[in-house]
Amino acid sequence: MSAEAKQLAEAREEFVAQWGAMGSQWGINRTMAQIHALLMTSLDPISTDDVMAELQVSRGNAHTNLKELVAWGLVRVVVKKGERREYFEAEKDVWQIFTIVTRERKKREIEPALAVLNRCSEGTKELKTPEGRAFHDQVKQLEEFVGFASKVADKVGSMKHGFAIQMAAKMLG
Amino acid sequence: MSAEAKQLAEAREEFVAQWGAMGSQWGINRTMAQIHALLMTSLDPISTDDVMAELQVSRGNAHTNLKELVAWGLVRVVVKKGERREYFEAEKDVWQIFTIVTRERKKREIEPALAVLNRCSEGTKELKTPEGRAFHDQVKQLEEFVGFASKVADKVGSMKHGFAIQMAAKMLG
DNA sequence: ATCGCGTTTCAATATTTTCTGAAACTTCAA
DNA sequence: TTGAAGTTTCAGAAAATATTGAAACGCGAT
């Protein structure tokens, strides 16, 4: 192996390892994040067995997390003609990745919160005691804010790359 | 207990329980989220013993998570004159809560990612093989995007309530 | 200096989450 | 129909996280 190839292999290994470690901070499991890192930096689609070999994980683990990435929409299944084996390739466009993660986080984090807040706010609407009113008001404020965040997430998630960059640039400027 | 008081107690209990369950989804531990819910909907500051009684958790657990909330800046310590015991009260303004969480998430999620990306991008700058270039380019794109997100987070985290609402309204309109 | 009251720490334990490995299943070609 | 190649599932094992409970600690009053 040439010096260049070695340098690349090292950098990639670090990227995969660190991205995996970060997965935890993000509430995403380590293997899933590592596979994602591996796929994002692979020129060609790779198979379950490749993942097993690269990351030293079991077939079950590799399989489950590949399919989870496919469910998120961050990874696509690729079939090579004349081969039965499935290959996988990642979405590489960073804006696409961002919108996918935004949609997914909205679904997992914002929507359930909103449902809880709606319920608690509705159920205390006509309370008359000071404690009851205070509770209702606080929950209502949270509800309104989270509802608003939900709309923002929708908007951002449906923006085209160029438009988003333009808007953000204006905001930062 | 009156019917109103019962209704309130029930609603609050549900809010605390559900907010706690959601903590997991958010990568925040359940007790911490429950304490936060409790404090956000409490008119008066409450003590460690109150938390232990309400949530049926140990002193150590209550203590650790209260202090963690204080470290985040979501909760303040209150000393009542003539009392040695510490009481705690939550920040109740939703925009304040949002900016605090934004800052904290930036610190925990965005900054470490950026550090990794910087390192991996720097370390592969002068690779010449197609694989090396592809890796460098992909990492660089991620780096640029995350760096951008970092700036946006700073900006949003330092906005005044009114200004942010105005801007977001324009964006959604 | 000692006591009483509250805070803090931490080793042991419990719970939750992730991972493994093997069996069951599917599909397709012979 | 059989079997080779690949995929999927899942019960049990391992690892990571959260929680307990009790001891150590800090501090002001006596």
Side-chain angles (χ1 to χ4, degrees):
Chain A
M1 198 195 279
S2 75
E4 283 233 340
K6 205 174 296 174
Q7 203 178 337
L8 172 59
E10 261 173 39
R12 194 165 176 218
E13 205 160 315
E14 184 189 354
F15 176 63
V16 169
Q18 298 286 352
W19 203 252
M22 280 209 20
S24 312
Q25 290 291 331
W26 277 67
I28 286 167
N29 97 31
R30 201 178 74 243
T31 306
M32 183 169 156
Q34 285 180 336
I35 295 176
H36 188 221
L38 202 60
L39 283 167
M40 274 196 303
T41 57
S42 172
L43 278 173
D44 305 308
I46 69 182
S47 69
T48 305
D49 292 82
D50 296 334
V51 170
M52 290 166 62
E54 291 273 0
L55 302 181
Q56 302 281 298
V57 297
S58 69
R59 181 173 303 283
N61 195 7
H63 172 80
T64 304
N65 286 296
L66 278 165
K67 286 304 157 95
E68 186 68 9
L69 283 163
V70 171
W72 276 55
L74 289 168
V75 166
R76 283 178 293 273
V77 177
V78 179
V79 284
K80 295 192 181 177
K81 48 188 163 189
E83 279 216 57
R84 250 168 87 185
R85 176 184 305 242
E86 287 184 335
Y87 287 80
F88 300 89
E89 73 178 2
E91 172 61 54
K92 295 216 176 76
D93 180 87
V94 289
W95 180 256
Q96 280 300 322
I97 294 172
F98 174 71
T99 59
I100 289 169
V101 172
T102 299
R103 268 200 294 282
E104 211 62 33
R105 288 189 101 156
K106 183 197 169 225
K107 191 158 60 188
R108 283 156 207 261
E109 300 182 358
I110 297 183
E111 283 171 9
L114 204 47
V116 170
L117 291 167
N118 282 156
R119 201 135 30 83
C120 292
S121 151
E122 278 301 304
T124 53
K125 234 189 333 216
E126 58 267 347
L127 293 184
K128 295 288 187 299
T129 59
E131 296 78 30
R133 298 302 304 277
F135 178 87
H136 177 73
D137 286 356
Q138 182 65 37
V139 170
K140 184 123 199 124
Q141 289 202 30
L142 287 167
E143 182 189 9
E144 275 163 17
F145 187 81
V146 175
F148 186 69
S150 176
K151 289 212 184 80
V152 172
D154 281 342
K155 194 77 180 188
V156 170
S158 68
M159 279 179 186
K160 287 275 174 293
H161 190 171
F163 184 61
I165 292 295
Q166 208 176 351
M167 156 164 287
K170 202 183 321 180
M171 188 175 103
L172 291 178
Chain B
M1 198 194 279
S2 73
E4 283 233 339
K6 204 174 296 173
Q7 204 177 337
L8 172 59
E10 260 172 42
R12 195 165 175 217
E13 206 160 314
E14 184 189 354
F15 176 63
V16 169
Q18 298 287 351
W19 204 252
M22 282 207 19
S24 313
Q25 291 290 329
W26 277 67
I28 286 166
N29 96 31
R30 202 177 73 242
T31 305
M32 182 170 157
Q34 284 180 335
I35 295 177
H36 188 220
L38 203 59
L39 284 166
M40 274 197 303
T41 57
S42 172
L43 277 172
D44 306 307
I46 68 183
S47 70
T48 304
D49 292 82
D50 296 334
V51 170
M52 291 167 63
E54 291 273 0
L55 302 182
Q56 302 279 301
V57 297
S58 71
R59 182 173 302 284
N61 195 9
H63 172 81
T64 304
N65 286 296
L66 277 165
K67 286 302 156 96
E68 186 68 9
L69 284 164
V70 171
W72 275 56
L74 289 169
V75 165
R76 283 177 293 273
V77 176
V78 179
V79 285
K80 295 192 181 179
K81 47 187 163 191
E83 279 214 57
R84 252 169 84 188
R85 174 185 304 243
E86 287 184 336
Y87 287 80
F88 301 89
E89 72 177 4
E91 171 61 56
K92 295 215 175 77
D93 181 88
V94 290
W95 180 255
Q96 281 299 324
I97 294 171
F98 175 71
T99 60
I100 289 169
V101 172
T102 299
R103 269 201 293 282
E104 211 61 32
R105 289 189 101 155
K106 181 195 171 230
K107 192 158 58 189
R108 284 155 206 260
E109 300 182 357
I110 297 183
E111 283 170 10
L114 203 47
V116 169
L117 291 168
N118 283 155
R119 201 136 30 83
C120 292
S121 151
E122 278 302 304
T124 54
K125 235 189 331 217
E126 58 268 347
L127 293 183
K128 295 289 187 297
T129 58
E131 295 78 29
R133 299 303 304 277
F135 178 87
H136 177 75
D137 286 356
Q138 182 66 37
V139 170
K140 183 123 201 125
Q141 290 203 28
L142 287 167
E143 181 191 9
E144 275 163 18
F145 187 82
V146 175
F148 186 69
S150 176
K151 290 212 183 79
V152 171
D154 281 342
K155 193 76 180 188
V156 170
S158 68
M159 279 180 187
K160 286 277 175 294
H161 190 171
F163 185 61
I165 292 295
Q166 209 175 350
M167 156 164 286
K170 200 179 330 177
M171 188 177 102
L172 291 178

